[in-house]
């Protein structure tokens, strides 16, 4: 089991000063925590246009009333939902971290955006010759979206955008931590955002990746993923700026399967490599991990690959693990950050999240697969993993200190 | 920084292609004549390599440019041990990203095209081609000139996360794609180029004569200079 003190001194670290989220569960951290406690899902069917036909899709849509409120509050950006979502999450995170951010000048604040398709629905509209504001068009480009978010948050330090498929979020957190570690910033806003759009639906539908009944991660009868949309944000600061207790990023890594563009490797070796490297960077042994938040999309191949990778690294002692995709869907570029926010909530509240929508576990899954949430008696080290197109894998180690 | 060297550097763009040993060589006449005719398949591929052209022909423009830039380095990745390839990272930086393919997919969705609607797909293609399993990063930057990717690659080496790093700067936009929808020109630069650097420690060069570390500055200037091709003189502008 993990320890609050063993790795605190030598491991590379950036501390988490604040979090924010907006997803199918609504705005803020409270709805997320309630969803974890009740093991409930926010996935709902909605009639969607895919190609030229309309049909019900089960996914994690941001509630319409949330969107309306954000649009009313910022009419200039009303048709750039990506910008509105990201700003909402960033403002929450800034509020959560207000005490420490006030002491950090704007020039020492950076921003790293994580997204796969930014405000892609504007491109959908342009192709259909529909009216699109210049701002919404500008935010088709992830780089401009990142620059505008940095301006809105008054971050005058480095502004970057990571776009690396479904590992974008964890990769962006690694970039944020690296900027702090290198002394390029004292605080970094790391935000992830992606939308459910005709573009994205058409893509995953063409690959036959969507489960028509909604995703069932690590289920014996799983049949595909459910998309989600939204944004999440984490404020990272130099660890010395926060007084304990604190949660910090102590290890991270990425790797590539070098196997297939859209399918994971069959043996899980690439993901295992990323996990081993992250543990090494955090300077902790595998048996110190108390909980793993898996990628767990619900596609047959991904979940099988993850189970093999976990067995490979942890042997017969796989720590308790679960997937959050059944709560809010697969939010793509936001996933790594939204699910890391969930890990932070777990660490703050001593709870091990369950796996909503899981009915009958895959027989190959270790017994430590969490179907239901449960109170944790010892929760200090958490591993977050994500995998994505292009054979990409990412792992992140979060640790909590004692007061 | 002095602990690391540039093992190899390559470039390809409208005016030609080459590496630090060969210098810049002109494209065959069909490509020189008209920048709008970007057909980086068949003929041009055969100039560079005979390996797996069918896979190359399935790629989008961004991946083809990254693939060719990496091939142009002249580094013998195939001769590296698996352990060494696990320690070779790949980092790409771009402004345009996958926009060219995004537009084509939005106009006519196809499953084979969807995988290429990500700026990071080129990293996946290179890792498959050269069986690389090291760290990876894909950055989309408003001021993309490769400097962020280069900085990250150096950090990987410094932190011992990798022992070598393949670093790419790519811009890929077919003129015909850019003009197929009414997108402002600053969002869809009509240009294409690819540049690659292979960085590593001085004692592990896959080529006989690595560049000295001091050459890094010149290479950065070259990458920065590549931005001038974003709006090349005489290029067509959007009709809308």
């Amino acid at each position: 089991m993990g320890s609050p003190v063993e790795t605190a001194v030598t491991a590379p670290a950036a501390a988490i000063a604040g979090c924010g989220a907006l997803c199918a569960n609504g705005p803020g951290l409270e709805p997320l925590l309630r969803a974890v406690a009740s093991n409930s899902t926010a996935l709902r069917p909605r009639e969607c246009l895919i190609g030229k036909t309309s049909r019900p899709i089960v996914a994690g849509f941001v509630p319409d009333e949330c969107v309306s409120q954000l649009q009313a509050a910022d009419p200039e950006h009303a048709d750039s939902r990506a910008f509105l979502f990201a700003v909402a999450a960033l403002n929450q995170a800034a509020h959560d971290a207000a005490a420490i951010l006030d002491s950090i000048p704007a020039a020492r604040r950076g921003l790293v955006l994580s997204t796969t398709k930014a405000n892609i629905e504007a491109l959908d509209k342009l192709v259909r010759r529909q009216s699109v504001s210049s701002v919404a068009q500008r935010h088709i480009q992830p780089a401009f979206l990142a620059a505008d978010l940095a301006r809105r948050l008054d971050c005058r330090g480095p502004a970057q955008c990571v776009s690396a498929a479904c590992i974008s979020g964890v990769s962006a957190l690694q970039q944020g931590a690296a900027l702090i570690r290198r002394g390029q910033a004292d605080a970094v806003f790391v935000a992830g955002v992606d939308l459910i759009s005709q573009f994205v639906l058409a893509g995953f539908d063409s690959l036959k990746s969507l489960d028509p009944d909604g995703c069932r991660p690590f289920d014996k009868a799983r049949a595909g993923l459910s998309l989600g949309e939204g944004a999440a944000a984490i404020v990272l600061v130099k660890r010395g700026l926060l007084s304990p207790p604190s949660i910090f990023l102590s290890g991270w890594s990425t790797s590539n399967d070098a196997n297939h563009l859209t399918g994971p490797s069959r043996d899980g070796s690439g993901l295992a490599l990323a996990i081993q490297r992250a543990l090494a960077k955090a300077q902790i042994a595998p048996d110190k991990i108390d909980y793993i938040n898996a990628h767990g999309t619900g596609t047959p191949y991904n979940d099988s690959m993850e189970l093999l990778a976990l067995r490979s690294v942890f042997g017969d002692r796989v720590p308790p693990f679960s997937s959050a995709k059944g709560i809010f869907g697969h939010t793509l570029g936001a996933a790594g950050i939204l699910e890391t926010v969930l890990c932070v909530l777990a660490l703050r509240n001593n709870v091990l999240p369950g796996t909503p929508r899981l009915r009958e576990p895959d027989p190959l899954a270790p017994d430590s697969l969490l179907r239901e949430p449960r109170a944790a008696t010892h929760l200090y080290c958490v591993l977050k993993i994500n995998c994505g197109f292009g054979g990409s894998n990412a792992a992140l180690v979060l640790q909590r200190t004692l007061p | 920084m002095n602990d690391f060297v540039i093992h190899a550097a390559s470039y390809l763009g409208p005016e030609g292609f080459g590496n630090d040993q060969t210098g810049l060589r002109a494209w065959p006449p069909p490509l020189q004549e008209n920048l709008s005719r970007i057909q980086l398949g068949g003929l041009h591929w055969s100039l560079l390599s005979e390996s797996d052209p069918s896979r190359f022909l399935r790629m989008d423009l961004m991946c083809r440019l990254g693939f060719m830039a990496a091939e142009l380095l002249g580094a013998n990745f195939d001769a590296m041990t698996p352990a060494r390839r696990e320690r070779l990272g790949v980092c790409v930086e771009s402004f345009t990203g996958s926009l060219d393919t995004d537009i084509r997919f939005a106009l006519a969705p196809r499953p084979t095209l969807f995988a290429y609607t990500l700026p990071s797909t080129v990293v996946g293609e290179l890792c498959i081609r050269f069986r690389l399993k090291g760290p990876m990063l894909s950055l989309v930057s408003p001021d993309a000139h490769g400097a962020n990717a280069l900085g990250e690659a150096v950090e990987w080496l410094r932190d011992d996360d990798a022992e070598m790093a393949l670093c790419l700067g790519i811009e890929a936009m077919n003129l015909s794609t850019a003009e197929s929808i009414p997108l402002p020109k600053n969002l869809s630069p009509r240009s294409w180029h690819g540049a690659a650097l292979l960085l590593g420690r001085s004692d592990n060069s896959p080529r006989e004569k690595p560049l000295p570390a001091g050459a890094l500055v010149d290479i950065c200037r070259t990458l920065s200079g590549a931005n001038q091709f974003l709006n090349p003189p005489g290029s067509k502008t959007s009709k809308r």
Side-chain angles (χ1 to χ4, degrees), chain B residues 107-163:
Chain B
L107 289 165
R110 280 178 292 142
T112 49
L113 210 54
F114 187 55
Y116 292 99
T117 62
L118 294 163
S120 55
T121 300
V122 62
V123 177
E125 286 284 14
L126 290 169
C127 288
I128 292 170
R129 164 66 182 89
F130 299 119
R131 289 167 287 159
L132 308 178
K133 298 186 176 183
M136 55 166 288
L137 182 66
S138 168
L139 294 168
V140 184
S141 307
D143 54 351
H145 42 59
N148 290 317
L150 207 53
E152 184 62 25
V154 169
E155 290 299 324
W156 285 343
L157 302 176
R158 194 172 278 160
D159 292 350
D160 201 32
D161 291 335
E163 85 179 42

Side-chain angles (χ1 to χ4, degrees), chain A residues 117 123 126 129 137 141 143-144 161-165 171 175 181-182 199 203 206 254 256 258 261 277 281 390 392, chain B residues 86 95 102 105 111 114 117 119-120 124-125 127 133 135-136 138-140 142 152 155 159 161 181-184 187:
Chain A
K117 298 314 310 164
L123 185 60
L126 280 175
R129 301 292 192 241
Q137 289 183 40
Q141 271 289 4
F144 285 153
C161 178
V162 174
S163 186
S171 194
Q175 274 303 102
R181 191 180 173 203
R182 289 175 212 155
F199 184 103
S206 72
T254 51
N256 199 283
L261 274 191
R277 287 176 182 156
K281 202 172 188 85
S392 51
Chain B
E86 277 191 5
F95 167 72
D102 292 351
F105 181 82
F114 187 55
T117 62
S120 55
E125 286 284 14
C127 288
K133 298 186 176 183
M136 55 166 288
S138 168
L139 294 168
V140 184
E152 184 62 25
E155 290 299 324
D159 292 350
D161 291 335
I181 63 167
L183 201 59
L187 298 182

Side-chain angles (χ1 to χ4, degrees), chain A residues 14 34 79 111 180 206 208 238 240 245 265 271 354 362 399:
Chain A
R34 282 199 299 272
D79 64 347
L111 183 139
I180 289 172
S206 72
K208 304 190 189 315
K238 274 171 73 173
S265 76
L271 177 58
D362 185 323
Q399 288 183 258

Side-chain angles (χ1 to χ4, degrees), chain A residues 50-375:
Chain A
I50 301 182
K52 291 176 181 171
T53 58
S54 181
R55 67 170 198 264
I57 294 291
V58 177
F61 300 96
V62 171
D64 289 342
E65 59 270 25
C66 291
V67 180
S68 302
Q69 285 171 10
L70 293 172
Q71 288 172 326
D74 189 355
E76 186 193 344
H77 295 96
D79 64 347
S80 178
R81 289 200 306 147
F83 182 83
L84 292 177
F85 288 3
V87 167
L90 281 161
N91 282 339
Q92 289 165 26
H95 183 262
D96 203 23
I100 186 75
L101 281 176
D102 286 348
S103 65
I104 299 173
R108 296 293 300 164
R109 288 188 226 146
L111 183 139
V112 181
L113 175 68
S114 156
T115 185
T116 62
K117 298 314 310 164
N119 199 48
I120 193 68
E121 62 189 13
L123 185 60
D124 283 330
K125 290 177 182 171
L126 280 175
V127 164
R128 287 164 182 78
R129 301 292 192 241
Q130 295 170 353
S131 167
V132 188
S133 75
S134 59
V135 163
Q137 289 183 40
R138 177 176 163 82
H139 293 163
I140 291 172
Q141 271 289 4
F144 285 153
L145 179 59
D148 288 357
L149 289 170
R151 242 190 311 277
R152 175 61 71 94
L153 270 292
D154 196 23
C155 296
R156 299 180 203 173
Q160 295 184 354
C161 178
V162 174
S163 186
C166 302
I167 70 161
S168 297
V170 168
S171 194
L173 284 165
Q174 296 178 12
Q175 274 303 102
L179 288 175
I180 289 172
R181 191 180 173 203
R182 289 175 212 155
Q184 292 176 258
D186 292 332
V188 178
F189 288 84
V190 186
V193 65
D194 259 318
L195 309 176
I196 296 177
S197 60
Q198 291 183 40
F199 184 103
V200 172
L201 282 170
F204 282 98
D205 187 62
S206 72
L207 295 176
K208 304 190 189 315
S209 301
L210 303 175
D211 185 337
D213 298 320
C215 69
R216 287 162 287 170
F218 298 115
D219 194 286
K220 183 182 177 184
R222 64 184 180 272
L225 58 84
S226 290
L227 289 168
E229 65 178 359
I234 288 176
V235 178
L236 298 176
V237 297
K238 274 171 73 173
R239 198 172 149 205
L241 297 176
L242 274 190
S243 48
S246 65
I247 296 166
F248 59 97
L249 313 185
S250 61
W252 52 82
S253 185
T254 51
S255 71
N256 199 283
D257 291 337
N259 176 62
H260 195 273
L261 274 191
T262 54
S265 76
R266 295 292 183 262
D267 63 3
S269 57
L271 177 58
L273 196 60
I275 295 171
Q276 285 158 345
R277 287 176 182 156
L279 293 175
K281 202 172 188 85
Q283 300 173 19
I284 60 171
D287 64 359
K288 300 293 181 190
I289 295 293
D290 300 315
Y291 166 67
I292 300 169
N293 187 270
H295 190 49
T297 58
T299 64
Y301 287 132
N302 174 82
D303 292 8
S304 295
M305 180 278 290
E306 272 191 283
L307 294 175
L308 287 171
L310 294 180
R311 290 271 195 206
S312 165
V313 176
F314 298 97
D316 293 333
R317 294 183 174 183
V318 176
F321 71 102
S322 62
S323 164
K325 298 291 195 295
I327 300 177
F328 36 63
H330 188 350
T331 55
L332 307 175
I337 300 174
L338 184 57
E339 291 160 16
T340 300
V341 167
L342 199 84
C343 293
V344 171
L345 292 176
L347 284 161
R348 283 179 181 173
N349 295 279
N350 282 309
V351 61
L352 298 175
T355 306
R357 304 182 65 87
L358 169 62
R359 296 171 197 158
E360 186 178 351
D362 185 323
L364 296 177
D367 293 340
S368 55
L369 171 60
L370 294 156
R371 300 178 68 162
E372 302 286 333
R374 70 169 191 242

Side-chain angles (χ1 to χ4, degrees), chain B residues 11-15 65 169-172 191-195 223 226-227 229-230:
Chain B
Y11 175 81
L12 71 159
E15 71 283 65
L65 288 168
I170 307 172
E171 298 303 339
S191 175
W192 60 276
H193 65 258
L223 287 167
N227 272 344
F229 301 118
L230 294 180

Side-chain angles (χ1 to χ4, degrees), chain B residues 21-34:
Chain B
Q21 290 185 338
T22 65
L24 198 67
R25 297 161 69 179
W27 290 105
L31 196 63
Q32 282 181 330
E33 287 168 8
N34 190 345

